[in-house]
Amino acid sequence: MVYLNKFLMTNDEVSIPAPLFITWYQCIITSFICYVAGYFGDRAQKQILSGASSNDAAGLYSKLSTVDLDSSISGVVNGAASNGLIPNRQPGFISQFPKATYKPSIALRIFPLSLIFVGMITFNNLCLSHVQVSFYNVARSLTIVFNIFLSWMILGIRSSVKTVSCLIIVIFGFYIGCQGELNYSTIGTNCGVISSLFVSLNSIYTKKILPIVDDNHWKLTFYNNMNACMILFPFVYYYEMDFVLLGHVEQLNSGSFWLMITFAGCLGFMIGIVTVLQIKATSPLCHNFSGTGKALVQSMAAFYIWKNEPTAYGVAGIFVVLGGSLLYTYVKMNENSSTLHVHHMKPMSDIESSSTNEER
C-alpha cells in the first residue's frame, strides 16, 4: 500500500502527484465500499433471520446491526437458534458489515473525530510524497511517543520507567535516522511527526466516539470517510483543482490511472479488514509485532526497489526505531499481562495497544 501510494503521488507521467486529491478520492472509494458491503451485509442478516417471527426477528436484527465482528453475530444467532427462534445457521463473512446510513445528527457528533482522521491520513500522504520510502517509517516513528504523552495528558495514564526508556530509544533512532538521510525533507519529516500526533489523537477519541455508532468500527469507518470527503473537498478545490484539471488532462482521460487509484482505495479498505481479522484471531500486541516486521521489510526493500541510497546512520536509524518499537510492545505485553491478573482480566487500554505502524 505504501509503495502504491508513493508511486501515485510522485509519478508525473502515469499518475497525478496531488496528495490531497488522491486522499479525497480514496475516501470516496472507501465510503462506497462501506455502502456496498453494508447493503449485502444487511441482506445477509435478514436472510439469517428469515425463519424467525416478525417480533423476534426485529429484536434479533437490532442486535445484529450493532455488532462489530462475525463471532459476535454467531453468538446472537446461535443463542436464538438454541431457543428455536431461527434455524441453526452460521452467518457468512459479509454479515459483519452493518447497513450504511448517513444521519446528519450522528455525523455532526462524529465530526471532531473526522477532523482528526483527515489530519491523520492527509499528513501521512503528504509525508510519503516528500520523503523516501526507506525513511518513511522513521519519519512516522514518534506515534508511540505521542501515545504515552497524550495518554498522560488527556487520560491521566502514567507510564513505567521501562516504557519511557523504550521511548527514548525510539527518539534516538529518529534522530540518527534524520542525520543519515541523504535526501532529507524538512516538510516531509514535519508532516510525518504531525501525522504521528494525529494517529495518537485518533486512537484516544475513537474510543470515546465509538458508543455513538453502537461500538461498531465499520459504521465509524463509513461516517469518518463520508465526513472526510466533505472536509477535504474545499482544500482539494483551492490547492490542487487547477493543477489536476489543467495540468494532467492525459492522466484524467486514462483508464489505467483511474484503475490504479481505485485499486489503491480498495486495497486500503482490505488492509483494514485484514487488520481487524488479525487482531480478532490473535491480539493487538501480536498485530504490533507483525506491523514492526512489515515495516522493517518495507524499509529495507525500498533501498533496492526505489533505489534509495543507504547510509550507516540511515540504516541504523531504521533498526533502532523499529527495535525500540518492538521492545516497547514487549514491555507493554508484560505489563498488561501482570495488570490483567491483578484487575481480574480487565482489557488493556486501546491507546497502549494501538499499532505503531498506521497507514491509509
Side-chain angles (χ1 to χ4, degrees):
M1 183 65 189
V2 171
Y3 288 179
L4 181 57
N5 272 341
K6 178 67 173 179
F7 177 80
L8 289 172
M9 289 184 288
T10 57
N11 193 306
D12 198 24
E13 297 180 0
V14 180
S15 181
I16 302 176
L20 293 177
F21 171 74
I22 291 175
T23 304
W24 174 68
Y25 184 80
Q26 289 180 351
C27 288
I28 293 176
I29 294 298
T30 302
S31 300
F32 177 74
I33 295 174
C34 285
Y35 181 83
V36 173
Y39 171 78
F40 286 105
D42 182 59
R43 289 187 59 182
Q45 291 170 10
K46 288 180 178 178
Q47 288 175 1
I48 293 171
L49 301 175
S50 60
S53 64
S54 58
N55 290 335
D56 292 331
L60 288 170
Y61 181 75
S62 176
K63 292 180 181 179
L64 284 173
S65 63
T66 62
V67 295
D68 193 24
L69 294 173
D70 200 46
S71 59
S72 300
I73 298 176
S74 299
V76 175
V77 174
N78 291 337
S82 64
N83 293 325
L85 296 178
I86 59 175
N88 190 4
R89 175 179 177 183
Q90 291 296 322
F93 171 79
I94 197 67
S95 303
Q96 69 179 293
F97 296 100
K99 184 178 181 180
T101 55
Y102 188 84
K103 298 180 180 179
S105 59
I106 295 179
L108 189 61
R109 296 173 66 186
I110 296 175
F111 195 79
L113 176 63
S114 298
L115 289 173
I116 295 173
F117 173 74
V118 168
M120 179 181 72
I121 60 176
T122 300
F123 282 102
N124 175 69
N125 281 345
L126 286 172
C127 169
L128 184 58
S129 66
H130 285 89
V131 304
Q132 293 186 335
V133 178
S134 58
F135 182 68
Y136 170 71
N137 285 300
V138 174
R140 295 185 63 255
S141 63
L142 300 183
T143 298
I144 61 174
V145 177
F146 287 118
N147 277 353
I148 298 302
F149 178 75
L150 293 176
S151 295
W152 172 57
M153 291 292 296
I154 298 175
L155 303 178
I157 300 175
R158 295 185 177 274
S159 299
S160 66
V161 175
K162 290 182 179 180
T163 301
V164 175
S165 300
C166 296
L167 303 190
I168 294 175
I169 294 174
V170 171
I171 293 172
F172 177 68
F174 175 80
Y175 172 76
I176 62 174
C178 291
Q179 296 299 311
E181 178 62 21
L182 293 177
N183 297 299
Y184 180 79
S185 168
T186 302
I187 294 177
T189 304
N190 289 339
C191 286
V193 173
I194 296 172
S195 174
S196 299
L197 173 61
F198 277 117
V199 169
S200 299
L201 288 172
N202 186 70
S203 298
I204 292 175
Y205 285 102
T206 292
K207 186 177 180 180
K208 294 184 176 182
I209 294 296
L210 265 175
I212 298 175
V213 289
D214 307 315
D215 289 318
N216 191 297
H217 285 275
W218 297 122
K219 285 185 179 181
L220 184 60
T221 298
F222 177 70
Y223 274 104
N224 259 341
N225 280 274
M226 286 291 293
N227 285 347
C229 291
M230 292 181 281
I231 295 170
L232 281 169
F233 180 76
F235 294 97
V236 174
Y237 182 83
Y238 183 81
Y239 290 105
E240 296 181 348
M241 191 59 69
D242 289 342
F243 174 74
V244 172
L245 294 180
L246 302 180
H248 296 83
V249 178
E250 183 179 349
Q251 287 87 336
L252 291 174
N253 292 325
S254 170
S256 59
F257 164 71
W258 290 108
L259 182 62
M260 283 191 300
I261 194 173
T262 301
F263 175 71
C266 295
L267 186 60
F269 185 81
M270 288 187 287
I271 289 174
I273 293 177
V274 170
T275 298
V276 170
L277 291 176
Q278 183 186 42
I279 294 175
K280 173 186 172 184
T282 56
S283 70
L285 289 170
C286 288
H287 174 64
N288 277 5
F289 272 111
S290 65
T292 301
K294 180 269 300 179
L296 177 61
V297 173
Q298 174 183 289
S299 298
M300 301 310 294
F303 289 119
Y304 175 76
I305 297 174
W306 293 90
K307 309 302 181 184
N308 300 159
E309 186 176 348
T311 64
Y313 275 14
V315 174
I318 294 172
F319 276 91
V320 173
V321 160
L322 297 180
S325 300
L326 196 62
L327 184 60
Y328 166 84
T329 301
Y330 176 75
V331 169
K332 295 308 297 181
M333 180 175 63
N334 288 336
E335 290 180 353
N336 282 288
S337 178
S338 301
T339 303
L340 289 177
H341 290 293
V342 173
H343 295 285
H344 305 289
M345 300 303 291
K346 180 180 178 182
M348 69 181 191
S349 168
D350 286 350
I351 309 306
E352 296 174 350
S353 65
S354 62
S355 173
T356 60
N357 299 292
E358 297 286 341
E359 63 186 40
R360 182 71 181 96

